[in-house]
Amino acid sequence: TFCAGADLRDPPPPEAFVGLLRGIVELRKPVVARVDGHVRAGGLGLLGACDIAAAGAAASFAFTEVRIGVAPAVISLPLLPRADPRALARYYLTGERFDAVEAVRTGLLTAAGDDVDAVLAPVLDGLRRSEPGALAETKALLTAKVLQTFDRDAADLTALSARLFSSAQAREGMTAFLERRDPAWVV
């Protein structure tokens, strides 16, 4: 597993995750995600914050928030400016699982292949050959719109996340998940 999201028994405050995501986006050096396993919920926010993300054939992805009674609020900060809106609508609303090829198509990943290390080899070589100052300035160009989204929406999305995580529906959804049963709203 690359990242399965927050600990549902003791979810961290959403402000902490906003700080982590923003820190990745603001870092002056390029951040590369190497994914060779499952990515769920908050893990997709981590991918969205990275500059380059590659995955192997074993990787799978899902925005599972709606299935436990919350919304992918905070993780939307790096994702909405970078990924295909129609694909996000489908996967945010359904919680469906999808593969690495689909993640590339939707803009969640940069590249995918059978061997993630082979996929990343030319990327890492290119980064090693690049001048550090030029990389930092180029990263700033590429992340400007993402940071604008943080500046504009972080407070509202943090409040939404906190409200939803403290709701009765979320308690039922998280309890059901931990007990490996369907929540009460499943028909």
Side-chain angles (χ1 to χ4, degrees):
T1 298
F2 173 80
C3 181
D7 179 355
L8 297 181
R9 288 183 181 91
D10 186 23
E15 300 84 5
F17 200 50
V18 169
L20 172 63
L21 295 174
R22 186 175 188 122
I24 293 169
V25 173
E26 287 181 325
L27 193 67
R28 290 185 48 82
K29 295 182 180 195
V31 178
V32 178
R34 179 191 176 278
V35 179
D36 196 25
H38 305 302
V39 186
R40 301 291 185 267
L44 285 152
L46 291 174
L47 284 185
C50 293
D51 302 292
I52 297 169
S60 69
F61 306 83
F63 293 98
T64 54
E65 291 87 350
V66 294
R67 294 188 179 195
I68 62 162
V70 299
V74 168
I75 68 169
S76 290
L77 292 165
L79 291 169
L80 289 175
R82 290 184 162 165
D84 177 84
R86 296 301 260 174
L88 286 181
R90 174 182 178 173
Y91 295 117
Y92 272 23
L93 292 169
T94 66
E96 288 174 80
R97 191 174 59 182
F98 53 99
D99 64 15
V101 172
E102 178 69 355
V104 170
R105 188 196 69 72
T106 63
L108 295 170
L109 289 177
T110 310
D114 290 335
D115 180 353
V116 68
D117 293 321
V119 170
L120 282 174
V123 171
L124 298 176
D125 183 59
L127 291 173
R128 281 192 292 273
R129 295 175 181 277
S130 300
E131 193 276 323
L135 280 176
E137 294 300 330
T138 302
K139 179 170 177 172
L141 290 170
L142 294 168
T143 59
K145 287 188 180 191
V146 177
L147 291 171
Q148 288 172 358
T149 301
F150 273 83
D151 293 341
R152 184 188 67 226
D153 300 334
D156 290 340
L157 293 176
T158 299
L160 173 62
S161 183
R163 180 173 57 82
L164 291 174
F165 265 89
S166 66
S167 71
Q169 293 85 354
R171 279 190 299 283
E172 164 60 13
M174 288 185 249
T175 300
F177 175 81
L178 294 170
E179 293 175 355
R180 299 185 188 278
R181 63 172 173 80
D182 284 339
W185 60 76
V186 173
V187 290

